[in-house]
Amino acid sequence: MEHKIEASTSNIMPAQFARSLYYDMARIRQFENRVVTLVDDNEIAGVCHEYSGQEAVAVGICGALTTSDIVTSTHRGHGHTLAKGGDVGRMFAELLARTGGYNKGRGGSMHIADVGIGIFGANGIVGAGAPIACGAAHKFKAARENRVAVSFFGDGAINQGVLHEAMNLAAIWDLPVIFVCENNQYAISTPLKEVTILDPYVRAQSYGMPGVCVDGMDVEAVYHAALTATERARTGKGPTFIECQTYRYFGHYTGERHMKMNYRSQEEVDRWKLRDPIKIWAARMMESGLCAQEDIEAIDAEVNIEIDRGVEFARSSPPPNPAEALDCMYAVPYPNTPAWGVEP
Amino acid sequence: MRQLRFLQAMNEAYHQAMGADESVMIIGEDIRGGIRGETKGLHGAFGDLRVLDTPISEAAFTGFATGAALAGLRPIVQFQVPSLIYVAFDQLVNQAAKMRLMLGGQANLPITYTLMVSGSRGGNAGQHSDNPYPYLLHAGFKVVCPSNAYDAKGLMIQAIREDDPVVFIASAMSLPQKGPVPEEIYAVPFGCGDVKREGSDVTVIAIGHLVPEALAVAERLAQEKNISVEVWDPRSLLPLDREGLLKSVKKTGRVVIYDDTNRTCGFAAELSAIIGELAFSSLKAPIKRVTRADVPMPFNLALEAAVLPKPQQLEDAILAVRSYAHV
Ligand SMILES: Cc1ncc(C[n+]2csc(CCOP(=O)(O)OP(=O)(O)O)c2C)c(N)n1
Ligand SMILES: [Mg+2]
């Protein structure tokens, strides 16, 4: 496995922060494992795209953000909302399509978002969040708010026109935006190598913004890249492009397990899993004396309880009332607007 | 009262709305240059951060407005010509129009989209003659289509104040039209149609720039044939003033819809269906539609005229519904 930038080995991080990075990654991992179970048990309908394997990206980036910074998320977005501080219970409730969910059961996995903690939509359309992040960043810049907007997207988005339009806008207007490309090597079954000649981060140069490539399995490396980028954004110097080399452990979506797809080999999957972001980070923390094995186990147990409680909360949350199916469309509804499918 | 052109009324609405609320901004192509006049003076008055000229990137500046709105601004997005919305269709339809419901109502999207020079202008051919509001209505946008300068200013002010995405159709043929416009800031509420001419024999529902045409036809028929035509202007297409519409239909029992959008699934089709469902027993004749034909606009002027709805067709339709009798 090749990486453009060597994993950072500096350990100037306070122990508490280092542990919080571990906690956040473990939380995403356990959350997604539970999602798979709930899908299998038919408690979750529709499609879920699990984030497992990519935890260091969301957690490393969001580790450099504050609550008032915002992100635009993707179809593979559970990790982003969790890393930004999302509540496990309200997330499960959304996946179970309950009123207690962040989107009151109107969004589901692909649109799960807590606007209050700065998730400006999770998007089922590849690349579509990038200009949305730019518009938010413009507000921050115009109001001198010292806030940053992050746009997450996959390697598949790198050939979407709107992403390039958005990168250009961010560059010409020095917007406080960070473009984070989660290069997990595939867009469904299409390998990036087959559809793109140069690495994604190289494209940043043509828009006049720094482009870096980091080991996306190393939370510390991602975090440091994000810190540099947020520093640049907050001091009015404009956008940065960060490519994170990573890998998804599950199929494109939960159901892929039951399909015989052979776009990647078991050997390749196993090779990436040797560099598991959570295990790497646990090992490094212990090596550096930031925590002991018992601390890791204690965190895992704590996360497990949080996940159990979250599922309990979701199950106890009532489903939405079908008579309210047209709610939330407009801030200001009018008679017959929106209209039902039959005359009332 | 002071007379202004439709275009000047838009310009005044922009200035007054931006002056009244500093969260209002405008974004689009050649806004500072103000190639047609509706954005004149905005850059000087409100500066770089509220008046943004973009590269030719419709998808990005449309999405940009969505993000700005989520962050608390009230953007006006100006499309230089209506067909450019197709380039930004994902950002309009999948993002802005769906976002509030998908978020479970967590945020509002107070965005105004202005579609400049909508409709045909004579010789602009296939890609510069569209009047695309049926697509946008279908997507769930609130849509206003003013027919005179007074409504243009008032509906623009309301569009900018509305807490939802609104599309403002600036019909090409309406832009130079002059009419009385008060100097103070005022709003024309949505969902309130307007009887532009009272009558008792036939209701003509006319949209946008076709309203003045319908009024001229009505006047002529009154003088030459002693037919009393009521001209009803919905002003906002969504929300639609059903009550006002049905009131006029029930009064006359005879309806012609005069609309410059395609026949198939055009706005006239929707109006006919509503009237058929809700006022069937009042109808004394089948509803007639005078619409645009179902083809892209051909370049040749005679062909263009053949495709567009025309006053003569409207007159024929009025006479036909007027003389219709069940056998
Ligand atoms: C514009 C668009 N085209 C196609 C799709 C269907 N689709 C959903 S996810 C996906 C692959 C996305 O790959 P990538 O951006 O690398 O994200 P990943 O799934 O690997 O996280 C595709 C093609 C879509 N949702 N949006
Ligand atoms: Mg991918």
Side-chain angles (χ1 to χ4, degrees), chain B residues 6-221:
Chain B
F6 188 113
L7 206 59
Q8 293 168 316
M10 282 180 71
N11 183 249
E12 188 164 280
Y14 282 164
H15 274 278
Q16 291 183 345
M18 292 183 77
D21 180 350
E22 63 176 34
S23 64
V24 180
M25 56 162 278
I26 183 163
I27 185 167
E29 289 152 13
D30 306 294
I31 303 283
R32 285 177 303 181
I35 53 171
R36 300 192 183 94
E38 77 286 356
T39 56
K40 201 171 148 192
L42 292 177
H43 184 247
F46 304 108
D48 285 337
L49 292 172
R50 294 179 64 194
V51 182
L52 282 79
D53 262 358
T54 68
I56 302 171
S57 301
E58 286 79 9
F61 71 64
T62 305
F64 185 98
T66 303
L70 290 171
L73 297 181
R74 307 183 81 84
I76 302 163
V77 180
Q78 203 167 269
F79 289 95
Q80 207 163 55
V81 292
S83 332
L84 303 179
I85 64 165
Y86 308 136
V87 179
F89 226 37
D90 173 62
Q91 287 298 331
L92 285 167
V93 178
N94 270 320
Q95 311 301 328
K98 296 181 182 173
M99 189 156 291
R100 193 174 193 283
L101 185 135
M102 294 198 306
L103 285 171
Q106 289 180 74
N108 295 341
L109 291 133
I111 309 172
T112 303
Y113 306 95
T114 308
L115 272 53
M116 290 308 296
V117 292
S118 198
S120 189
R121 286 173 282 160
N124 278 284
Q127 293 171 341
H128 287 73
S129 304
D130 285 16
N131 219 358
Y133 46 83
Y135 295 110
L136 298 160
L137 290 165
H138 202 87
F141 285 98
K142 294 177 177 174
V143 176
V144 299
C145 192
S147 65
N148 63 33
Y150 177 92
D151 289 348
K153 180 173 168 184
L155 287 168
M156 179 63 85
I157 295 291
Q158 183 55 40
I160 294 167
R161 287 180 185 166
E162 190 84 357
D163 277 334
D164 288 308
V166 179
V167 175
F168 181 101
I169 305 289
S171 300
M173 304 311 278
S174 298
L175 297 180
Q177 308 265 345
K178 265 192 173 172
V181 178
E183 285 179 32
E184 72 271 13
I185 191 165
Y186 63 91
V188 169
F190 289 179
C192 294
D194 194 24
V195 177
K196 288 284 191 300
R197 182 186 197 281
E198 287 211 43
S200 52
D201 295 333
V202 176
T203 297
V204 171
I205 305 163
I207 318 296
H209 69 285
L210 297 183
V211 171
E213 284 188 13
L215 289 170
V217 169
E219 209 49 52
R220 193 166 65 242
L221 287 177

Side-chain angles (χ1 to χ4, degrees), chain A residues 161-245:
Chain A
V162 73
L163 174 68
H164 291 271
E165 291 183 15
M167 284 167 66
N168 186 52
L169 284 191
I172 60 173
W173 291 334
D174 293 328
L175 297 177
V177 182
I178 306 172
F179 295 95
V180 178
C181 176
E182 304 195 56
N183 179 1
N184 63 8
Q185 323 297 324
Y186 297 90
I188 307 187
S189 67
T190 304
L192 177 66
K193 284 193 200 76
E194 274 182 22
V195 293
T196 306
I197 304 286
L198 299 176
D199 289 329
Y201 78 97
V202 174
R203 298 191 178 187
Q205 199 193 342
S206 58
Y207 296 103
M209 75 174 84
V212 296
C213 185
V214 298
D215 178 359
M217 306 304 262
D218 180 345
V219 71
E220 200 176 5
V222 175
Y223 170 68
H224 284 296
L227 264 191
T228 308
T230 51
E231 164 76 11
R232 186 178 143 78
R234 290 191 212 282
T235 50
K237 300 199 181 85
T240 301
F241 186 102
I242 304 175
E243 174 185 345
C244 301
Q245 292 265 348

Side-chain angles (χ1 to χ4, degrees), chain A residues 46 88 176 196 253:
Chain A
V88 166
T196 306
Y253 71 109

